[in-house]
């Protein structure tokens, strides 16, 4: 499976119209997920105890999936994907979907 970069994931999120999901809310201190949340999670005790299996791109995808509006769109795409899959069309959120799968696989290893 191809490894995608953080820049590729961000580009896909922005292209899908969810650039605001990459920013923290003002009541959470503002700033970007990449500069505050992702580094904190990379260095948290749980990640350390697991042996640091995830890269920044994986953590960003997990944060976007578990706490942002883009999750609703990804789920909608998933619900409708079987029709498009049978037509052999390219599925939306290819990078996002691939990075999430890689993160799950790494956590299961």
């Amino acid at each position: 499976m191809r490894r995608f970069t953080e820049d590729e994931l961000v580009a896909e999120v922005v292209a899908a119209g969810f650039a605001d999901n990459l920013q923290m809310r003002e009541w959470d201190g503002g700033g970007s997920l990449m500069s505050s949340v992702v580094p904190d999670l990379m260095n948290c005790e749980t990640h350390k105890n697991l042996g640091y299996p995830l890269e920044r791109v994986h953590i960003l995808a997990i944060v976007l999936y578990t706490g942002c509006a883009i999750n609703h769109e990804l789920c909608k795409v998933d619900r409708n994907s079987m029709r498009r899959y049978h037509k052999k069309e390219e599925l939306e959120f290819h990078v996002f979907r691939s990075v999430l799968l890689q993160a799950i696989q790494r956590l299961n290893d």
Side-chain angles (χ1 to χ4, degrees):
M1 179 182 297
R2 180 171 178 251
R3 293 177 65 194
F4 291 97
T5 67
E6 191 173 334
D7 289 341
E8 289 172 303
L9 176 58
V10 168
E12 184 175 76
V13 169
V14 170
F18 291 94
D20 60 325
N21 283 214
L22 298 168
Q23 298 298 316
M24 292 177 55
R25 304 290 183 236
E26 290 199 22
W27 63 81
D28 286 331
S32 75
L33 293 176
M34 282 90 62
S35 66
S36 55
V37 174
V38 172
D40 287 349
L41 292 173
M42 283 291 296
N43 298 310
C44 77
E45 196 66 27
T46 301
H47 196 225
K48 177 183 176 183
N49 290 339
L50 292 170
Y52 299 108
L54 302 176
E55 298 173 18
R56 287 178 52 92
V57 67
H58 301 124
I59 290 179
L60 177 58
I62 291 168
V63 169
L64 288 168
Y65 187 76
T66 59
C68 297
I70 196 169
N71 172 30
H72 300 290
E73 188 64 23
L74 182 62
C75 290
K76 185 173 106 180
V77 167
D78 283 341
R79 284 191 300 273
N80 296 322
S81 67
M82 288 311 292
R83 287 181 291 239
R84 286 194 302 279
Y85 178 75
H86 291 297
K87 293 179 184 177
K88 303 294 185 202
E89 293 178 20
E90 180 66 29
L91 295 176
E92 299 156 294
F93 296 116
H94 176 70
V95 175
F96 193 14
R97 187 182 308 274
S98 296
V99 171
L100 278 173
L101 180 60
Q102 289 171 1
I104 292 166
Q105 288 172 337
R106 284 180 178 216
L107 290 171
N108 283 326
D109 286 344

